[in-house]
mmCIF file of all heavy atoms in Angstrom:
data_model
loop_
_atom_site.group_PDB
_atom_site.id
_atom_site.type_symbol
_atom_site.label_atom_id
_atom_site.label_comp_id
_atom_site.label_asym_id
_atom_site.label_seq_id
_atom_site.Cartn_x
_atom_site.Cartn_y
_atom_site.Cartn_z
ATOM 1 N N MET A 197 -37.819 -33.457 13.519
ATOM 2 C CA MET A 197 -37.339 -34.771 13.114
ATOM 3 C C MET A 197 -37.588 -35.024 11.630
ATOM 4 O O MET A 197 -36.732 -35.564 10.915
ATOM 5 C CB MET A 197 -38.028 -35.844 13.952
ATOM 6 C CG MET A 197 -37.501 -37.252 13.734
ATOM 7 S SD MET A 197 -38.222 -38.418 14.898
ATOM 8 C CE MET A 197 -37.395 -39.924 14.383
ATOM 9 N N TYR A 198 -38.768 -34.604 11.137
ATOM 10 C CA TYR A 198 -39.084 -34.795 9.722
ATOM 11 C C TYR A 198 -38.151 -33.973 8.839
ATOM 12 O O TYR A 198 -37.679 -34.452 7.798
ATOM 13 C CB TYR A 198 -40.538 -34.398 9.470
ATOM 14 C CG TYR A 198 -40.941 -34.492 8.008
ATOM 15 C CD1 TYR A 198 -41.208 -35.724 7.422
ATOM 16 C CD2 TYR A 198 -41.022 -33.347 7.226
ATOM 17 C CE1 TYR A 198 -41.565 -35.810 6.094
ATOM 18 C CE2 TYR A 198 -41.368 -33.424 5.896
ATOM 19 C CZ TYR A 198 -41.640 -34.658 5.322
ATOM 20 O OH TYR A 198 -41.989 -34.733 4.004
ATOM 21 N N SER A 199 -37.863 -32.715 9.219
ATOM 22 C CA SER A 199 -36.962 -31.881 8.417
ATOM 23 C C SER A 199 -35.554 -32.464 8.382
ATOM 24 O O SER A 199 -34.878 -32.438 7.346
ATOM 25 C CB SER A 199 -36.927 -30.466 8.982
ATOM 26 O OG SER A 199 -36.417 -30.476 10.311
ATOM 27 N N SER A 200 -35.092 -33.033 9.527
ATOM 28 C CA SER A 200 -33.751 -33.636 9.526
ATOM 29 C C SER A 200 -33.693 -34.860 8.613
ATOM 30 O O SER A 200 -32.721 -35.068 7.874
ATOM 31 C CB SER A 200 -33.363 -34.022 10.953
ATOM 32 O OG SER A 200 -34.249 -35.006 11.459
ATOM 33 N N LEU A 201 -34.772 -35.666 8.624
ATOM 34 C CA LEU A 201 -34.794 -36.850 7.758
ATOM 35 C C LEU A 201 -34.813 -36.446 6.284
ATOM 36 O O LEU A 201 -34.079 -37.005 5.452
ATOM 37 C CB LEU A 201 -36.007 -37.718 8.092
ATOM 38 C CG LEU A 201 -35.961 -38.456 9.443
ATOM 39 C CD1 LEU A 201 -37.298 -39.148 9.708
ATOM 40 C CD2 LEU A 201 -34.822 -39.457 9.456
ATOM 41 N N THR A 202 -35.649 -35.473 5.938
ATOM 42 C CA THR A 202 -35.715 -35.055 4.532
ATOM 43 C C THR A 202 -34.423 -34.390 4.073
ATOM 44 O O THR A 202 -33.997 -34.562 2.914
ATOM 45 C CB THR A 202 -36.891 -34.083 4.352
ATOM 46 O OG1 THR A 202 -36.758 -33.002 5.302
ATOM 47 C CG2 THR A 202 -38.210 -34.790 4.556
ATOM 48 N N LYS A 203 -33.775 -33.652 4.958
ATOM 49 C CA LYS A 203 -32.505 -33.036 4.596
ATOM 50 C C LYS A 203 -31.445 -34.094 4.329
ATOM 51 O O LYS A 203 -30.663 -33.995 3.377
ATOM 52 C CB LYS A 203 -32.042 -32.108 5.720
ATOM 53 C CG LYS A 203 -30.751 -31.370 5.416
ATOM 54 C CD LYS A 203 -30.379 -30.452 6.563
ATOM 55 C CE LYS A 203 -29.058 -29.733 6.244
ATOM 56 N NZ LYS A 203 -28.654 -28.847 7.372
ATOM 57 N N HIS A 204 -31.424 -35.140 5.165
ATOM 58 C CA HIS A 204 -30.462 -36.213 4.942
ATOM 59 C C HIS A 204 -30.726 -36.915 3.610
ATOM 60 O O HIS A 204 -29.792 -37.220 2.855
ATOM 61 C CB HIS A 204 -30.562 -37.211 6.105
ATOM 62 C CG HIS A 204 -29.632 -38.380 5.952
ATOM 63 N ND1 HIS A 204 -28.257 -38.258 6.054
ATOM 64 C CD2 HIS A 204 -29.889 -39.696 5.685
ATOM 65 C CE1 HIS A 204 -27.709 -39.435 5.870
ATOM 66 N NE2 HIS A 204 -28.663 -40.334 5.647
ATOM 67 N N GLN A 205 -32.009 -37.134 3.300
ATOM 68 C CA GLN A 205 -32.334 -37.775 2.023
ATOM 69 C C GLN A 205 -31.953 -36.890 0.834
ATOM 70 O O GLN A 205 -31.412 -37.368 -0.168
ATOM 71 C CB GLN A 205 -33.834 -38.092 1.977
ATOM 72 C CG GLN A 205 -34.255 -39.184 2.950
ATOM 73 C CD GLN A 205 -35.752 -39.433 2.908
ATOM 74 O OE1 GLN A 205 -36.477 -38.744 2.182
ATOM 75 N NE2 GLN A 205 -36.213 -40.413 3.702
ATOM 76 N N ARG A 206 -32.209 -35.563 0.949
ATOM 77 C CA ARG A 206 -31.824 -34.664 -0.142
ATOM 78 C C ARG A 206 -30.318 -34.638 -0.346
ATOM 79 O O ARG A 206 -29.824 -34.628 -1.475
ATOM 80 C CB ARG A 206 -32.344 -33.253 0.146
ATOM 81 C CG ARG A 206 -33.842 -33.100 -0.036
ATOM 82 C CD ARG A 206 -34.210 -31.627 -0.111
ATOM 83 N NE ARG A 206 -33.798 -30.906 1.092
ATOM 84 C CZ ARG A 206 -34.568 -30.716 2.153
ATOM 85 N NH1 ARG A 206 -35.797 -31.206 2.177
ATOM 86 N NH2 ARG A 206 -34.137 -30.039 3.192
ATOM 87 N N ASP A 207 -29.549 -34.598 0.769
ATOM 88 C CA ASP A 207 -28.088 -34.614 0.637
ATOM 89 C C ASP A 207 -27.601 -35.887 -0.027
ATOM 90 O O ASP A 207 -26.703 -35.869 -0.886
ATOM 91 C CB ASP A 207 -27.443 -34.459 2.025
ATOM 92 C CG ASP A 207 -27.720 -33.092 2.625
ATOM 93 O OD1 ASP A 207 -28.064 -32.166 1.850
ATOM 94 O OD2 ASP A 207 -27.599 -32.953 3.857
ATOM 95 N N THR A 208 -28.194 -37.010 0.344
ATOM 96 C CA THR A 208 -27.788 -38.282 -0.259
ATOM 97 C C THR A 208 -28.099 -38.301 -1.755
ATOM 98 O O THR A 208 -27.270 -38.714 -2.581
ATOM 99 C CB THR A 208 -28.499 -39.437 0.451
ATOM 100 O OG1 THR A 208 -28.236 -39.364 1.861
ATOM 101 C CG2 THR A 208 -28.019 -40.768 -0.086
ATOM 102 N N GLN A 209 -29.310 -37.835 -2.102
ATOM 103 C CA GLN A 209 -29.660 -37.809 -3.525
ATOM 104 C C GLN A 209 -28.765 -36.858 -4.311
ATOM 105 O O GLN A 209 -28.369 -37.144 -5.436
ATOM 106 C CB GLN A 209 -31.126 -37.395 -3.677
ATOM 107 C CG GLN A 209 -32.127 -38.424 -3.145
ATOM 108 C CD GLN A 209 -33.551 -37.924 -3.248
ATOM 109 O OE1 GLN A 209 -33.789 -36.792 -3.685
ATOM 110 N NE2 GLN A 209 -34.500 -38.780 -2.823
ATOM 111 N N ARG A 210 -28.431 -35.699 -3.696
ATOM 112 C CA ARG A 210 -27.571 -34.732 -4.392
ATOM 113 C C ARG A 210 -26.180 -35.315 -4.642
ATOM 114 O O ARG A 210 -25.605 -35.154 -5.716
ATOM 115 C CB ARG A 210 -27.489 -33.447 -3.573
ATOM 116 C CG ARG A 210 -26.802 -32.306 -4.315
ATOM 117 C CD ARG A 210 -26.686 -31.064 -3.455
ATOM 118 N NE ARG A 210 -27.986 -30.549 -3.099
ATOM 119 C CZ ARG A 210 -28.513 -30.583 -1.875
ATOM 120 N NH1 ARG A 210 -27.823 -31.130 -0.873
ATOM 121 N NH2 ARG A 210 -29.703 -30.092 -1.632
ATOM 122 N N ARG A 211 -25.627 -35.960 -3.628
ATOM 123 C CA ARG A 211 -24.305 -36.562 -3.803
ATOM 124 C C ARG A 211 -24.333 -37.656 -4.877
ATOM 125 O O ARG A 211 -23.420 -37.767 -5.695
ATOM 126 C CB ARG A 211 -23.812 -37.124 -2.465
ATOM 127 C CG ARG A 211 -23.351 -36.064 -1.478
ATOM 128 C CD ARG A 211 -22.560 -36.689 -0.350
ATOM 129 N NE ARG A 211 -23.396 -37.605 0.432
ATOM 130 C CZ ARG A 211 -24.059 -37.243 1.532
ATOM 131 N NH1 ARG A 211 -24.019 -35.980 1.946
ATOM 132 N NH2 ARG A 211 -24.773 -38.115 2.204
#
Side-chain angles (χ1 to χ4, degrees):
M197 186 173 180
Y198 177 77
S199 62
S200 63
L201 289 174
T202 54
K203 182 179 179 181
H204 179 69
Q205 291 178 357
R206 287 196 301 268
D207 294 340
T208 305
Q209 292 177 358
R210 189 182 297 110
R211 285 195 296 267

